[in-house]
């Protein structure tokens, strides 16, 4: 009796995931046009890029180029952090069982959190691991374009209105959260678009992210 029930459950789960995959393909909006600041990035400089591991969640921190208003709330901080996740769990801090089950098994809306930092956050802020790499202006531009294209854009290339959060804002995201595309999958995908990581769609957990990095050095302080 148990085996037929188990087979039925597996088939049902497979059907749910199959329909979810089809829905994601249809429902994910295309990349929008990103409005550029009038002054280009200074290509004579080198810039810092950081991979931050917060435990189960990773994010990308970059050194903000002059005259590029990337930090939220009108702040001109030296560093800007981008991270992505399920809207209900990540932005709304809903850690109930229904919210977690929905985030894993069902396609749910995503949000991008953008935060400004005066210095790269370390263990005192809750970061468990940090990896750093220096890049030129052209690579930084490619990374910024990849990250900003992850946000939903208005027809004139601006960010859609955001919602204030801790030290930053949450913006509506293009991509949809599900079991096989987590915040850590998102991190590797966007670093790879700038040549800073090897594409690896099998990355799901934070511990898997460092294996895909290109040219980053682990920083302990």
């Amino acid at each position: 009796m148990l085996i037929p029930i188990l087979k039925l459950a597996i088939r049902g789960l497979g059907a749910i995931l199959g329909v979810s995959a089809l829905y994601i393909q249809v429902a994910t909006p295309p990349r929008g046009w990103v409005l550029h600041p009038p002054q280009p990035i200074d290509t004579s400089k080198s810039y810092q890029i950081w991979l931050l591991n917060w435990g189960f969640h990773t994010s990308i921190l970059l050194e903000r180029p002059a005259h590029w208003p990337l930090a939220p709330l009108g702040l001109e901080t030296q560093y800007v952090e981008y991270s992505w996740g399920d809207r209900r769990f990540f932005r709304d801090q809903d850690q109930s069982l229904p919210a977690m089950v929905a985030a894993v098994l069902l396609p749910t809306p995503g949000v991008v959190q953008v935060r400004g930092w005066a210095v790269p956050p370390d263990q005192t802020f809750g970061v468990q691991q940090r990896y750093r790499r220096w890049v030129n202006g052209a690579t930084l531009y490619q990374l910024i374009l990849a990250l900003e294209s992850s946000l939903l854009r208005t027809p004139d290339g601006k960010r859609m209105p955001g919602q204030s959060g801790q030290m930053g804002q949450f913006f509506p995201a293009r991509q949809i959260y599900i079991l096989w595309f987590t915040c850590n999958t998102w991190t590797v995908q966007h670093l790879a678009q700038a040549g800073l990581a090897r594409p690896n769609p099998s990355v799901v957990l934070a511990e898997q992210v460092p294996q895909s990095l290109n040219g980053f050095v682990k920083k302990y302080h």
Side-chain angles (χ1 to χ4, degrees):
M1 183 65 181
L2 180 60
I3 294 178
I5 293 176
L6 183 59
K7 288 183 178 179
L8 184 62
I10 293 174
R11 289 174 182 171
L13 178 60
I16 291 173
L17 296 179
V19 171
S20 296
L22 179 61
Y23 170 80
I24 289 171
Q25 285 188 345
V26 174
T28 302
R31 288 169 54 138
W33 175 63
V34 177
L35 178 66
H36 290 60
Q39 186 166 336
I41 294 176
D42 184 355
T43 57
S44 66
K45 290 183 56 179
S46 294
Y47 301 86
Q48 295 181 69
I49 304 295
W50 296 79
L51 181 282
L52 304 178
N53 180 354
W54 296 88
F56 65 92
H57 171 78
T58 56
S59 63
I60 300 169
L61 184 80
L62 57 86
E63 188 173 357
R64 184 181 64 84
H67 310 294
W68 281 59
L70 300 175
L73 307 175
L75 301 175
E76 293 190 2
T77 54
Q78 184 174 357
Y79 298 93
V80 181
E81 178 193 12
Y82 290 81
S83 55
W84 177 85
D86 171 75
R87 183 175 66 189
R88 186 174 169 186
F89 184 84
F90 186 35
R91 186 194 71 182
D92 300 339
Q93 294 294 296
D94 183 352
Q95 300 181 3
S96 64
L97 181 60
M100 289 189 287
V101 171
V104 172
L105 296 180
L106 300 176
T108 52
V111 288
V112 176
Q113 184 184 41
V114 184
R115 296 200 290 184
W117 295 89
V119 296
D122 56 16
Q123 289 85 348
T124 59
F125 293 94
V127 177
Q128 296 191 10
Q129 293 177 325
R130 304 191 304 167
Y131 297 82
R132 185 182 69 181
R133 173 176 169 169
W134 290 87
V135 300
N136 58 28
T139 300
L140 178 64
Y141 170 77
Q142 291 299 322
L143 179 60
I144 291 173
L145 186 61
L147 293 168
E148 286 291 325
S149 296
S150 185
L151 281 66
L152 288 176
R153 318 296 299 190
T154 63
D156 58 355
K158 298 178 181 178
R159 296 171 175 172
M160 296 287 285
Q163 177 176 314
S164 295
Q166 183 182 12
M167 296 177 63
Q169 283 187 301
F170 289 95
F171 296 92
R174 292 177 46 250
Q175 289 156 302
I176 296 171
Y177 194 98
I178 199 166
L179 172 65
W180 59 82
F181 195 88
T182 69
C183 58
N184 305 307
T185 322
W186 180 93
T187 295
V188 172
Q189 182 189 80
H190 287 75
L191 287 172
Q193 290 179 26
L196 299 171
R198 297 176 295 280
N200 188 353
S202 66
V203 169
V204 174
L205 304 175
E207 291 75 16
Q208 296 175 281
V209 173
Q211 303 168 11
S212 297
L213 298 178
N214 288 333
F216 283 78
V217 176
K218 190 172 184 180
K219 306 296 289 184
Y220 293 93
H221 302 288

